[in-house]
Amino acid sequence: MTVLLVAEHDNNELNPATHKALSAASQIGGGVHILVAGDQCSGVGEQAAKLDGVDKVLVAEAPHLANQLAEEMAALIHPLMNDYDAVMAAATTNGKNFMPRIAAMLDVAQISEITSVVSANSFERPIYAGNAIQTVESGDSKLVITVRTTAFEAAGESGSAAVENINAPDAVGISTYVGEELSQSDRPELTSAKIVISGGRGMQSGDNFKMLESLADKLGAAVGASRAAVDAGFVPNEYQVGQTGKVVAPELYIAVGISGAIQHLAGMKDSKVIVAINKDEEAPIFQVADYGLVADLFDAVPELEKLLEGS
């Protein structure tokens, strides 16, 4: 079985999500080829060639591939599937956009957000907000799979795969990239941060999130939030961690003023170490926490910051 893995990148740098999706692809068995589709992205192709377990890197460059619009990506990948048994991508916003279209064109069922590879055609994925694990076995001739990257270790970078340039098809032209508004921050990106500090409804206001931001700056951490905090307007939607937000699995996750609804737990319970600060000792968050502190966050967080300043 040969797998085509679609690289996640910004035309300059390979996203770490690709490293983890590669680990999943390698477990299927057989060869793995990486597709780098974009505009002036040959440097990304060279980065992909260094990943362990990659047999070949395909680079397709064209202006209409710069933003990996679903229609353009599907038009590129669908013909390539004549030579592959499976196509995989990280379950990022980008991957979730174009992969269903490829599945529809191949007339197969997509297998979404796998967390484990059981065999070449059998996979595990979470359901019911992560409270159950479903084993999916596919009988389709072609597999279309997205990978929940928090469940896999990143592949190493000691490889030396061959890089091949391929022709991109003509632009489909039925959608247009208009633009994007991205927040600028010196903190690490939420899904790739090693430490995440999240606040919930207990923060009471957006101004109080400045306490968490100050603490995050000292720890080199990213700042997240529960849906309750986002819905209350305390912080932007991009902070949201949970079933309908971002899924994270950092080395350390600090939950401050978060009760622990199952939707939030689905987005962070795979974190290596979970610390919870909440004045309600019955809060569900304590059931998954490795360390719990029953205290008023407005006392505990400033005290923690003082201890860090003195260390």
Side-chain angles (χ1 to χ4, degrees):
M1 174 175 283
T2 307
V3 178
L4 180 66
L5 175 63
V6 185
E8 180 88 8
H9 64 90
D10 63 359
N11 292 307
N12 294 304
E13 297 290 334
L14 192 65
N15 190 296
T18 304
H19 297 59
K20 296 183 177 182
L22 173 58
S23 294
S26 298
Q27 291 178 26
I28 292 179
V32 179
H33 295 180
I34 290 184
L35 172 64
V36 176
D39 186 29
Q40 299 182 23
C41 57
S42 59
V44 179
E46 294 173 1
Q47 295 170 36
K50 296 178 182 178
L51 297 180
D52 294 342
V54 178
D55 298 311
K56 182 189 291 186
V57 176
L58 306 178
V59 178
E61 296 181 292
H64 58 272
L65 294 175
N67 303 107
Q68 296 195 342
L69 297 176
E71 295 83 357
E72 306 298 348
M73 291 295 288
L76 168 66
I77 295 169
H78 181 240
L80 294 177
M81 291 307 296
N82 291 327
D83 298 323
Y84 295 96
D85 302 293
V87 57
M88 299 180 71
T92 58
T93 301
N94 200 35
K96 290 177 181 179
N97 185 35
F98 63 75
M99 289 292 275
R101 192 174 187 90
I102 296 168
M105 293 175 72
L106 293 171
D107 195 23
V108 299
Q110 177 174 304
I111 304 173
S112 303
E113 302 210 27
I114 67 166
T115 56
S116 179
V117 177
V118 179
S119 67
N121 67 336
S122 183
F123 311 90
E124 291 183 350
R125 60 184 298 272
I127 57 174
Y128 302 130
N131 286 299
I133 300 297
Q134 179 185 53
T135 301
V136 180
E137 184 174 334
S138 175
D140 291 328
S141 58
K142 303 288 184 181
L143 301 180
V144 178
I145 303 166
T146 61
V147 180
R148 180 170 288 193
T149 55
T150 56
F152 296 90
E153 296 294 329
E157 297 184 349
S158 60
S160 57
V163 178
E164 177 184 335
N165 293 311
I166 62 173
N167 294 324
D170 293 337
V172 177
I174 59 176
S175 64
T176 304
Y177 175 79
V178 176
E180 60 187 2
E181 295 182 9
L182 302 176
S183 60
Q184 300 296 319
S185 175
D186 292 330
R187 300 187 191 97
E189 202 276 324
L190 189 56
T191 56
S192 61
K194 293 184 178 180
I195 302 175
V196 174
I197 303 173
S198 286
R201 194 195 305 273
M203 297 302 297
Q204 298 182 5
S205 73
D207 287 340
N208 290 330
F209 264 81
K210 293 177 181 178
M211 291 194 305
L212 301 190
E213 292 169 353
S214 177
L215 185 61
D217 290 339
K218 288 181 172 57
L219 292 171
V223 177
S226 68
R227 178 171 180 172
V230 171
D231 287 349
F234 296 169
V235 290
N237 181 262
E238 66 215 43
Y239 280 44
Q240 185 177 328
V241 173
Q243 185 180 17
T244 54
K246 295 179 179 178
V247 177
V248 300
E251 299 292 327
L252 173 63
Y253 187 88
I254 304 176
V256 182
I258 294 176
S259 62
I262 59 172
Q263 290 86 356
H264 184 75
L265 299 183
M268 47 66 71
K269 67 180 182 180
D270 289 331
S271 303
K272 303 300 184 294
V273 177
I274 299 173
V275 176
I277 301 173
N278 199 301
K279 64 181 180 182
D280 178 10
E281 62 182 15
E282 300 297 326
I285 191 70
F286 288 123
Q287 296 177 14
V288 299
D290 298 286
Y291 300 94
L293 176 61
V294 179
D296 188 321
L297 68 90
F298 295 104
D299 295 328
V301 174
E303 185 65 24
L304 177 58
E305 187 169 356
K306 286 181 182 179
L307 291 172
L308 289 172
E309 289 173 349
S311 61

